[in-house]
């Protein structure tokens, strides 16, 4: 299961560290992509709220906990609001801006050198090319370089061109346009396929909206959503083609960097082959799709990840099969979820990964709690035998024993949990309900 039953405070207490003098060391925590926590969602909304409530309590109780939230620029206000809720009225902020020409030059030279092409002149020419914006109105030079585009173009040049090939300014211009154009075309075609749209229509929309002056000035989200589903806009942003900005609390989208204007203008709607990523990346896309409230797309991504797994990808295969169980469970298909989890457990046995099997069995047991308490007990006992120190599994076992009528055994389990963690909320509530006090 993807959602843990373990409270944050319990997790932190179990991983608390002391220095040699017995003083508690600071605990550093980070939440990447925290914007997913800051917006309500059809899926996992209850869990999202419970997590934020739990986090709020822990931040106030644990002064040694230092939390880093990584969010997109357009969610900064929501992040600051959450920081205030967590007791940090004036948190430190740091904005990750595009690279200066000097930093970009250093990065370009390092990327080229790592592949054996130590060419300072090429690095300098490449950075200059990525700063040059050519439009019908003339040529401009930007003050910054977009890191994602620099990495993309360097990788493509090193992949396609022999090390001994001379690179004139005109040829470099053409190669950069080709790399960026192919990246845009393939990305848009993939998004179209994921959303069951015609690739030519998505390309045409993107070129019309972002290929002109509005691509730099910014387009309001309401206008974008009039033309395409929100999922398309989110996917284009995830692909580093556009970025969001807030103006007077309204969200606008603009090109990730003006250097994309020229290759975007050359998109002709021609069919392009879709280059799908490997199974690990495809599984990440599935997780994002489910967070965005699209379980069907999540299922398709995950099934594709399963098909792409080779003999050396057993861990990815196990994770993907587990996630198919998660998707089925979210769609109310408990029996299908259990079958998927059983498949995943068998794969984990073959790896072997004893801990993963234990967590999967625990997930099966929790699903069965509502309909077959006896079988839930058996699954959770098997999980507990593999992970005897995991209190969240023990408390679930106690619940299963209680529901199956074995109250004495359930009470013993809850008391054992409280013996290890006297503040365990679930065990405390269950024991009070059992004893009536």
């Amino acid at each position: 299961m993807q959602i843990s039953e373990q409270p944050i405070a319990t997790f932190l207490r179990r991983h608390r560290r002391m220095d040699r003098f017995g003083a508690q060391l600071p605990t550093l925590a980070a939440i990447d992509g925290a914007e997913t926590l800051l917006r309500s969602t059809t899926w996992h909304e209850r869990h999202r709220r419970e997590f934020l409530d739990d986090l709020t309590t822990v931040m106030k109780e644990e002064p040694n906990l230092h939390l880093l939230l990584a969010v997109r620029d357009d969610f900064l206000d929501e992040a600051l609001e959450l920081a205030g809720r967590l007791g940090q009225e004036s948190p430190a902020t740091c904005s990750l801006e595009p690279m200066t020409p000097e930093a970009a030059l250093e990065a370009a030279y390092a990327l080229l050198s790592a592949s054996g092409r130590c060419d300072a002149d090429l690095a300098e020419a490449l950075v200059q090319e990525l700063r040059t914006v050519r439009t019908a109105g003339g040529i401009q030079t930007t003050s910054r370089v977009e890191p994602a585009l620099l990495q993309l173009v360097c990788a493509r040049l090193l992949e396609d061109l022999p090390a001994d090939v001379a690179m004139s300014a005109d040829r470099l211009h053409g190669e950069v346009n080709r790399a960026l154009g192919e990246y845009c075309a393939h990305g848009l075609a993939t998004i179209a396929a994921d959303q069951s749209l015609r690739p030519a229509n998505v390309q045409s929309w993107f070129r019309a909206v972002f290929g002109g002056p509005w691509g730099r000035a910014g387009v309001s989200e309401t206008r974008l959503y009039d033309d395409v589903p929100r999922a398309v806009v989110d996917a284009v942003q995830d692909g580093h083609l556009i970025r969001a900005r807030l103006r007077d609390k309204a969200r606008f989208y603009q090109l990730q960097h003006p250097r994309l204007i020229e290759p975007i203008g050359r998109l002709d709607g021609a069919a392009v082959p879709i280059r799908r990523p490997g199974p690990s990346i495809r599984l990440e896309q599935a997780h994002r799709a489910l967070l965005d409230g699209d379980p069907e797309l999540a299922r398709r991504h995950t099934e594709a990840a399963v098909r792409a797994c080779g003999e050396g990808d057993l861990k990815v295969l196990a994770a993907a099969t587990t996630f198919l169980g998660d998707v089925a469970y979210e769609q109310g298909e408990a029996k299908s979820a259990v079958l998927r989890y059983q498949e995943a457990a068998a794969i984990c046995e073959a790896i072997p990964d004893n801990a993963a099997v234990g967590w999967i069995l625990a997930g099966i047991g929790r699903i069965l709690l509502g309909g077959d308490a006896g079988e839930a007990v058996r699954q959770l006992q098997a999980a507990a035998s593999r992970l005897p120190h995991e209190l969240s599994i023990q408390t679930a076992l106690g619940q299963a024993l209680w529901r199956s009528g074995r109250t004495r055994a359930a009470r013993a389990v809850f008391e054992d949990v409280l013996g290890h963690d006297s503040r365990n909320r679930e065990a405390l509530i269950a024991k009070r309900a059992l004893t009536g006090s």
Side-chain angles (χ1 to χ4, degrees), residues 303-378:
E303 289 176 345
V306 169
R307 291 193 298 270
C309 285
E311 293 183 1
D313 297 320
L314 277 182
K315 287 188 176 181
V316 179
L317 179 61
T321 306
T322 302
F323 191 65
L324 284 173
D326 297 338
V327 174
Y329 182 74
E330 290 294 341
Q331 293 182 300
E333 301 170 3
K335 290 184 179 179
S336 296
V338 169
L339 290 174
R340 289 294 192 180
Y341 290 142
Q342 289 171 340
E343 292 176 25
I347 297 169
C348 290
E349 289 276 19
I351 290 175
D353 188 340
N354 188 61
V357 175
W359 285 116
I360 293 171
L361 294 176
I364 294 173
R366 289 191 179 99
I367 290 177
L368 296 174
L369 269 175
D372 189 345
E375 182 59 26
V377 168
R378 286 187 285 275

Side-chain angles (χ1 to χ4, degrees), residues 414-431:
F414 292 133
E415 288 176 349
D416 183 63
V417 169
L418 292 171
H420 289 86
D421 180 10
S422 61
R423 297 165 62 186
N424 189 288
R425 184 171 52 195
E426 187 178 358
L428 283 170
I429 293 172
K431 185 183 177 184

Side-chain angles (χ1 to χ4, degrees), residues 148-149 152-153 156 176-193 199-200 202-207 210-211 232 235-237 239-242 255-275:
L149 302 187
L152 165 71
V153 171
R156 191 62 58 86
V176 169
N177 269 348
R178 181 177 65 84
L180 296 179
E182 288 180 357
Y183 178 73
C184 292
H186 286 294
L188 294 172
T190 302
I191 293 167
V202 175
Q203 272 198 29
S204 176
W205 160 77
F206 189 74
R207 184 178 63 248
F210 292 103
V232 171
V236 173
Q237 186 178 12
H240 302 290
L241 295 179
I242 60 175
L255 281 177
Q256 188 78 12
H257 191 274
R259 182 59 182 84
L260 289 171
I261 291 175
E262 189 176 358
I264 288 171
R266 299 182 180 184
L267 294 175
D268 57 6
V272 296
I274 297 176
R275 296 176 182 173

Side-chain angles (χ1 to χ4, degrees), residues 44 58 106 110 160 174 246 350 402 407:
H44 304 316
V58 168
E106 183 178 349
D160 295 344
L246 290 180
W402 184 10
T407 55

